[in-house]
Amino acid sequence: VNMLDIKNLNACSKETKQRVEDSSISQIEFQKPLFNEVVLYFEERNHLKTEAKEFFQFYEEQDWRLSNSHQMKCWRAAARNWLQKAKV
């Protein structure tokens, strides 16, 4: 996606905008979070540092890969799933 495409997004339909944004996101390489980032994310959601530590250690051991062995794309999404499962 080049800058001209991004500038012209306003003239596009909502579906076209979403496809361009999705393709841009998929090209971004995953960045492993710092432990402090994970702790802050968990604390912002009223969860303990110990839960953040478990999450971080688990995915560090997995090299930040999902259960299907695919590279993680968004650790925040994985954290939300982790916290959702912890509620049950």
Side-chain angles (χ1 to χ4, degrees), residues 17-85:
K17 286 181 187 179
Q18 190 61 48
R19 278 197 302 267
V20 171
E21 290 169 1
D22 290 347
S23 67
S24 298
I25 290 170
S26 66
Q27 294 173 3
I28 297 172
E29 189 172 324
F30 175 73
Q31 295 285 320
K32 292 181 182 181
L34 299 173
F35 177 66
N36 291 340
E37 289 178 292
V38 174
V39 170
L40 180 61
Y41 189 81
F42 275 65
E43 287 177 344
E44 286 172 347
R45 282 148 188 78
N46 300 318
H47 289 274
L48 300 174
K49 184 177 181 176
T50 54
E51 189 71 25
K53 183 178 178 181
E54 287 179 32
F55 170 83
F56 188 83
Q57 288 178 335
F58 176 81
Y59 280 107
E60 273 290 299
E61 291 172 8
Q62 302 298 319
D63 194 30
W64 295 92
R65 294 192 174 276
L66 303 173
S67 58
N68 61 7
S69 298
H70 289 117
Q71 181 65 50
M72 186 177 292
K73 292 181 182 178
C74 179
W75 67 265
R76 288 174 184 87
R80 286 190 299 272
N81 288 334
W82 179 281
L83 294 172
Q84 192 67 18
K85 291 177 183 176

